[in-house]
Amino acid sequence: MCGIYGFIGNGKVEDLINGLKKLEYRGYDSAGIAFSRNGSLIVEKKTGKVDTLCSAINDTLEEKINAGIAHTRWATHGMPNDINAHPQMDCEKKIAVVHNGIIENFAALREKLISEGHKFISQTDTEVIAHLIEKYFKGDLLEAVRLATLDLDGTYAIGVIHADVKDEIIFARRKSPLVITKNEYGSYCASDVTPLISLSRDVVFLEDSQIARLKKGAFEIFDLSGKQVEKRFCHIDWDEKSAEKGGYKHFMLKEIHEEPRVISDALMGRVKGEKIFLKEMEDWKDHIKNLRKINIIACGTSYHAGLIFKYFFESLRPFDVEVEVSSEFRYRNVLIDDRMLNVAISQSGETADTLESIRLVKSLGGRVLALSNVVGSTLTREADKTLYINAGPEISVASTKAYIGQMTVLYLLALYIDSVMGKEHPEKVKALSRLPELVDQFILTQEKTIKDVADRYVGYSNFMYIGRGMNYPSVLEGALKLKEISYTNAVGYQAGELKHGPIALLDEKFPVMAVAVDDDLKGKMLSNILETKARNAHVVAVTSASDHDVSSIVNDVIRVPDVENYLYPFFVGISFQLFAYNVANNRNLNIDMPRNLAKSVTVE
Ligand code: M6R
């Protein structure tokens, strides 16, 4: 959600565009850049894609520049249009600012600045930052930015360039991420590591309430009192290749195909024989022995992974596991104590509601374990401990491989906790080790069948996903996936809830995606499927390879391997990912960047 890129050093205008292109996956609706030329700032911005901006400035792409800032905007204050796009400027057009986040007191600041003679032209909250810096600028850009940030309430990551200050650019953050790196050619800052990994793998994550001054090939970091602070470098292993499509039509499809590798990477070093080793958790063993409750906090797909943890852990022992959507959790009057384990799941580690939820937990004295994919993300820095899912960069907005990676690590966590509590599960540990190969085989053999099924259902506008037990979270996730990339109405229900209302929706135009694998609840699912058939609904069943009863009564079948009950959610999850992908692909939609969505939801 919104992307910032900037550099100072040897470069070209095109470098700003290339930086933005690597941030496109975050989701945006306009793009812009600013750089200096002969003592003036040149600002170019356009509604729409980075390519539109690129075409508009085609003649200047090769121009050599020594500094610039760039932005992809996802509108919050004011329509997505050229005026509201970033950079925003001051009255004299000497200062340009790009900004991610929301300035909560922007209306009051704007009114005050207007009364002091400043002229505003956009509807954005960002423009107040440019005018504040103008107000405070007395020759020292760092100091002016520092003073301006002291006036701001809310969240921000900002990049600032000044026409008269040729040898530095300034960045600052509060609750919106920024990462900095340098090499012999220059210093660079971006919203995440994706545009930086080709420049250097050693990066510094700016902390909350810090300001960075970038010069060619060097940078310094200050706190809000102006005191210089130490830089902590972090090494990023991701290589550039892993952020490219590698021959697939879409990142989403590439990422689904990476899932067997994601599972084995998540298991790597954590499973030895029949035992689980989570070295990150070792010093919490006493805490775990004493646990009375596990709280899971997450949003979207990560929330669904959390629900699967609940079902899995409860299958190991009766236990109090609560799973809550972060945007609700953060406003609840929650009871937190030291006999609880609070697990925050976030692929990006930057989801605003999840971050606020863990801040709430910590303020109440609770412990937070983060599960994230992004090394050095805000969540991982604020949590007490982190388990990384090691899935590599997930570029497609729709989360697929990160979900599978989250489930894998959550299963490891569940088995680890249960072993610390006294129960070992050697068979389950061995079964997990076999999973990468099974998933690989499954994708290889079933991808075409799932595509054919999707082709037959591409004309429908509504879908109902139903499942029970451990496969209930899978239907929520299946419906979410279809909604977000194919813009089709899809609802997920516990199959037992059908009679309490949702069945009224069903007719021949409202197909049902039913999960009826060979588990303890299959008989119940069979009855539910018959109920939907009696309403003339077409039924696609996800069922086990050896099934006869379900397949003989439904219209279409997706077969998953015969596995232990608790492993079905992996195969059901992947089936629904491929189904949604193929429906959306059939409709020629922008699968990796669905409308209205952002990869990283850094605002509330
Ligand atoms: O980065 P996070 O895991 O915290 O993101 C949470 C959700 O925004 C995310 O899972 C979202 O639902 C995805 N678009 C789903 O595909």
Side-chain angles (χ1 to χ4, degrees), residues 299-302 346-348 351 397-399 406 480-481 484 601:
C299 299
T301 291
S302 299
S346 173
Q347 185 283 131
S348 61
T351 300
V397 166
S399 185
Q406 286 166 343
L480 174 68
K481 218 79 306 167
E484 67 177 333
V601 185

Side-chain angles (χ1 to χ4, degrees), residues 24 28-31 46-54 590 593:
E24 280 191 293
Y28 68 103
D29 42 46
S30 56
K46 281 270 168 277
T47 315
K49 294 294 165 203
V50 175
D51 277 342
T52 314
L53 172 68
C54 190
N590 190 355
M593 277 185 273

Side-chain angles (χ1 to χ4, degrees), residues 326-510:
S326 318
S327 54
E328 289 297 315
F329 182 90
R330 64 181 284 193
Y331 294 114
R332 276 180 50 213
N333 190 12
V334 283
L335 174 69
I336 300 288
D337 62 44
D338 199 42
R339 294 195 55 210
M340 292 167 69
L341 176 64
N342 303 283
V343 185
I345 311 173
S346 173
Q347 185 283 131
S348 61
E350 302 293 350
T351 300
D353 285 318
T354 305
L355 292 176
E356 285 308 325
S357 297
I358 67 149
R359 288 169 189 147
L360 172 66
V361 170
K362 295 204 76 173
S363 72
L364 296 170
R367 291 172 191 239
V368 176
L369 169 68
L371 221 93
S372 182
N373 192 31
V374 180
V375 176
S377 55
T378 309
L379 176 64
T380 66
R381 282 178 288 126
E382 295 194 17
D384 297 294
K385 288 183 180 296
T386 300
L387 289 174
Y388 284 106
I389 62 171
N390 300 331
E394 188 177 68
I395 306 294
S396 168
V397 166
S399 185
T400 53
K401 66 173 181 174
Y403 175 63
I404 295 296
Q406 286 166 343
M407 278 165 53
T408 311
V409 176
L410 286 167
Y411 274 46
L412 290 174
L413 179 66
L415 293 171
Y416 178 83
I417 294 176
D418 210 35
S419 87
V420 174
M421 288 177 169
K423 247 198 271 170
E424 298 291 340
H425 299 278
E427 289 310 320
K428 292 194 169 67
V429 178
K430 277 198 274 176
L432 272 186
S433 307
R434 288 195 302 272
L435 203 49
E437 205 189 315
L438 283 176
V439 167
D440 198 26
Q441 275 302 310
F442 171 66
I443 296 177
L444 205 69
T445 57
Q446 297 307 308
E447 187 174 9
K448 169 81 171 67
T449 311
I450 298 172
K451 180 185 177 305
D452 292 345
V453 175
D455 288 352
R456 289 197 281 281
Y457 285 80
V458 74
Y460 290 92
S461 326
N462 301 292
F463 284 81
M464 185 178 295
Y465 285 66
I466 55 169
R468 283 172 176 262
M470 282 198 82
N471 292 306
Y472 162 59
S474 310
V475 304
L476 296 182
E477 176 59 12
L480 174 68
K481 218 79 306 167
L482 190 67
K483 270 190 276 246
E484 67 177 333
I485 61 167
S486 76
Y487 318 141
T488 308
N489 176 41
V491 287
Y493 278 104
Q494 305 92 334
E497 274 290 287
L498 276 181
K499 291 197 218 43
H500 301 285
I503 201 164
L505 291 168
L506 298 182
D507 60 17
E508 69 286 351
K509 294 197 202 101
F510 208 129

Side-chain angles (χ1 to χ4, degrees), residues 130-277:
H131 289 278
L132 278 176
I133 297 172
E134 176 178 39
K135 171 176 162 179
Y136 290 122
F137 183 71
K138 306 274 181 291
D140 181 345
L141 187 56
L142 179 79
E143 180 61 4
V145 174
R146 187 185 76 82
L147 292 173
T149 58
L150 294 178
D151 287 351
L152 304 176
D153 289 342
T155 61
Y156 58 80
I158 54 174
V160 185
I161 186 168
H162 195 301
D164 297 340
V165 182
K166 300 203 171 48
D167 59 346
E168 63 187 50
I169 50 174
I170 307 291
F171 292 85
R173 73 157 268 181
R174 186 197 294 154
K175 297 189 179 176
S176 291
L178 280 175
V179 196
I180 305 170
T181 195
K182 65 180 173 72
N183 59 24
E184 57 189 300
Y185 306 109
S187 300
Y188 312 83
C189 184
S191 295
D192 64 45
V193 295
T194 328
L196 304 182
I197 43 185
S198 59
L199 302 163
S200 165
R201 304 257 180 79
D202 294 309
V203 303
V204 171
F205 290 88
L206 204 62
E207 301 281 346
D208 258 355
S209 305
Q210 289 186 338
I211 307 182
R213 175 162 59 197
L214 274 60
K215 298 191 178 234
K216 184 181 171 185
F219 63 93
E220 303 151 282
I221 298 179
F222 303 86
D223 65 18
L224 283 190
S225 71
K227 192 167 131 251
Q228 193 167 346
V229 295
E230 207 188 315
K231 301 191 277 267
R232 278 189 294 161
F233 278 89
C234 184
H235 186 75
I236 303 296
D237 285 328
W238 296 356
D239 59 21
E240 255 200 297
K241 270 254 165 304
S242 51
E244 290 169 5
K245 275 189 212 152
Y248 289 96
K249 185 171 174 194
H250 296 101
F251 279 112
M252 180 176 175
L253 191 59
K254 174 188 176 234
E255 288 161 3
I256 294 173
H257 279 263
E258 285 170 359
E259 288 172 342
R261 203 255 314 137
V262 166
I263 301 172
S264 52
D265 284 357
L267 297 176
M268 201 185 301
R270 292 167 168 164
V271 174
K272 288 181 193 136
E274 297 171 350
K275 279 204 168 295
I276 306 242
F277 294 86

Side-chain angles (χ1 to χ4, degrees), residues 518-556:
D518 259 332
D519 62 9
D520 309 341
L521 295 167
K522 184 173 176 186
K524 302 279 174 205
M525 278 307 302
L526 212 53
S527 310
N528 293 133
I529 289 173
L530 288 169
E531 286 159 14
T532 67
K533 293 287 303 170
R535 273 76 192 175
N536 295 326
H538 292 258
V539 178
V540 178
V542 179
T543 188
S544 311
S546 58
D547 166 87
H548 298 296
D549 350 341
V550 173
S551 29
S552 62
I553 59 164
V554 298
N555 304 78
D556 286 279

